[in-house]
Amino acid sequence: MKTHIITYGCQMNEYDTHLVKSELASIGAEFVDTVTDADFVLVNTCAVRGKPVEKVRTLLGELRKEKGKRNLMVGMMGCLAQLEEGQQIARKFEVDVLLGPGALTEIGRALEAKNRFWDLSFREELTHHLPPAPQGALSAFVSIIRGCNHHCTYCIVPTTRGPEVSRHPDLILRELQALKDVGVVEVTLLGQNVNSYGNDQEGFPKFGELLRKIGEIGLPRVKFTTSHPVNFTDDVVAAMAETPQVCGYIHLPVQSGSNRVLRRMAREYRREWYLDRIRAIREAMPEVVLSTDIIVGFPGETEEDFQETLSLYDEVGYDSAYMFIYSPRPGTPSYKHFQDLPREVKVERLQRLIERQKEWSFKRNGRWVGKTVEVLVRGVAKDEQYAEGHSRGNHPVLVPASQARHPGLYQVEIKQATPHMLLGEVAGATEAATIPLLMA
Ligand code: SAH
Ligand code: SF4
Ligand code: F3S
């Protein structure tokens, strides 16, 4: 079976694609790079905002046309597959295989089935799964907890991914050890809310304790995403600060700076709580790099509320931010109960927020000029004069390609900063981790 997989959405979906790929490989599937070469096209979908849903709709429409011309099987997996909205799309475009995010381990059975195969169950096997380590990769994702127990009123994820289920710590540690053994230098621990790791299982370590155990494996870089402010306890802060392998980078979504909006979003914290968490983090890790997610134009957001978001942005002084226009998602409480704001209002607020973000990112990136940072170089940049990589703080970094001919870890002296990245010169390679791979 010649298979082509197309992945939308977040890192959790990328990890799931890797998982499904390893299942497919074990039953002899061959992977191809284009739809034209494939006889099975699998689309891993996202439903968090309207845009990714539209993309999937368009793609599946094209694939149906292709199906009319030749023998082609089409599969749909991931978050949209779990929703009624997605299943309607799947029916319309004659999707053969449909697997929810909890049923990925069924892919083999799905392909053996003679007829249409749909499975939307949440299978326990998934959290017991141990995917093989990818060969030749320098960085990798590792899922530590699936699902989400929060109920943010705008968010479809708890519906698509179900309640929180932590993976067994032994399995996580084995997966990380295997990654280290094949030369991976950076892992990102994944979950919708990694800080609630262990809360759903008797006898599992809590997230802070897990971080410390992971530190002992000795991977050069450990990152994690995403954290919910409510669960970002002092214990997590201390574990981060005391475990040198854990990078000084935190993505801590705030969503809004207004208490009124936070309440309507059901975020379970107030602005003051969030700022206190930032204070605790900075006290323990003064150099920490901070990013966030912000939604603008949540229903009922007034200009005053939006000003509170801007003022919170200034108070924290984020290094970077992902900013989204509120997108009403059928099946969420805010879709049902609140009236969407006019698009012009939302767009105009987003533009003002982006301006603020650029100013801050420029200022915050500037603090690295003259300092030496560790960069994980991935390969040549678009502009082939440069090699590209990222720092422990997740900044994109460019260095002259002639100075970093192999992917790996380098010490880089930063010469220049823009709002989007750092530019530097290689000051030395970090011996242990510069592995001799040819540049891709
Ligand atoms: N579990 C993560 C994020 C999951 S979704 C967390 O809580 O941080 C990633 C981001 O998408 C969210 O942080 C939020 O900013 C954004 N998002 C989620 N639903 C949205 C919606 N309906 N409209 C716009 N942005 C949304
Ligand atoms: Fe969605 Fe909130 Fe859960 Fe994040 S914490 S996945 S925003 S419900
Ligand atoms: Fe999208 Fe699902 Fe991730 S909705 S953002 S792929 S958790």
Side-chain angles (χ1 to χ4, degrees), residues 148 150-152 154-155 157-158 192 228 255 267:
C148 178
H150 292 277
H151 303 280
C152 306
Y154 51 80
C155 186
V157 172
Q192 288 304 338
H228 192 291
Q255 314 297 1
R267 281 293 287 179

Side-chain angles (χ1 to χ4, degrees), residues 31-46:
F31 298 101
V32 293
D33 294 331
T34 60
V35 169
T36 329
D37 292 337
D39 36 40
F40 176 45
V41 176
L42 181 58
V43 188
N44 193 357
T45 61
C46 171

Side-chain angles (χ1 to χ4, degrees), residues 136-139 179-187 218-222 245 374-378 390 392 404-411 428-438:
L138 287 173
S139 53
L179 290 170
K180 181 171 180 250
D181 293 345
V182 297
V184 166
V185 289
E186 180 179 286
V187 291
L219 277 149
R221 291 180 170 203
V222 177
Q245 291 77 16
E374 182 198 84
V375 176
L376 175 54
V377 170
R378 270 191 309 264
H390 56 278
R392 295 181 74 86
R405 295 203 174 277
H406 302 290
L409 289 178
Y410 291 84
Q411 295 299 323
T430 308
E431 197 194 336
T434 312
I435 56 170
L437 278 174
L438 286 177

